[in-house]
Amino acid sequence: MKQTKKKFEFFLQIIAIQAIVAIYSFSTVVAKFASRQTFLSWQFLLLYAVEIGILGIYAILWQQMIKCFPISVAYANRAIGLLWTLLFATVFFQEKINLQNAIGVIIVIIGTMIVNSEDE
């Protein structure tokens, strides 16, 4: 029973860290939108401020999250940012996912799962 509760808590922590990584990856979406604006226009400055805000929120959340994990596990999970970035690129910019992208992300996911399984 205690082992099951511990595994469930670890699972929730992994979900939380993935949400934080997704926030970080989303900052690249805002950066891409900012890059499409005229430099120093009000649209550019607004998007740039939003990006900095997102990165600030990410930094605070990440710092709190790494209290729960060995740094090797936390950074392995950060690699899943590739998946989030690929998904955001597809959704927001209609970029295509090619075979190399898919294989690369699958390899990263497998590696992250292997690292995560060490602490279970």
Side-chain angles (χ1 to χ4, degrees):
M1 185 73 163
K2 197 172 188 175
Q3 184 73 11
T4 303
K5 183 179 178 185
K6 189 175 178 180
K7 282 185 177 184
F8 183 70
E9 288 174 358
F10 183 75
F11 174 75
L12 290 178
Q13 288 174 334
I14 293 293
I15 297 297
I17 204 167
Q18 287 307 312
I20 294 167
V21 171
I23 289 170
Y24 173 76
S25 297
F26 188 74
S27 72
T28 61
V29 172
V30 178
K32 179 75 172 178
F33 280 121
S35 72
R36 293 177 170 180
Q37 306 302 317
T38 303
F39 183 65
L40 295 181
S41 67
W42 72 269
Q43 296 95 339
F44 172 85
L45 294 173
L46 177 64
L47 289 167
Y48 194 69
V50 170
E51 180 185 2
I52 290 172
I54 291 170
L55 290 173
I57 291 168
Y58 159 76
I60 292 168
L61 294 173
W62 181 256
Q63 187 180 45
Q64 295 306 307
M65 204 68 219
I66 59 175
K67 291 179 184 176
C68 304
F69 291 97
I71 202 75
S72 60
V73 173
Y75 276 88
N77 279 277
R78 193 169 161 186
I80 299 294
L82 288 174
L83 172 65
W84 295 115
T85 301
L86 198 62
L87 290 174
F88 291 149
T90 302
V91 169
F92 291 101
F93 306 109
Q94 291 74 47
E95 293 182 10
K96 303 279 187 225
I97 298 174
N98 61 32
L99 184 62
Q100 290 89 347
N101 297 143
I103 291 171
V105 169
I106 289 168
I107 290 170
V108 168
I109 290 171
I110 291 170
T112 302
M113 290 172 68
I114 290 169
V115 171
N116 287 341
S117 67
E118 276 184 19
D119 285 353
E120 288 183 33

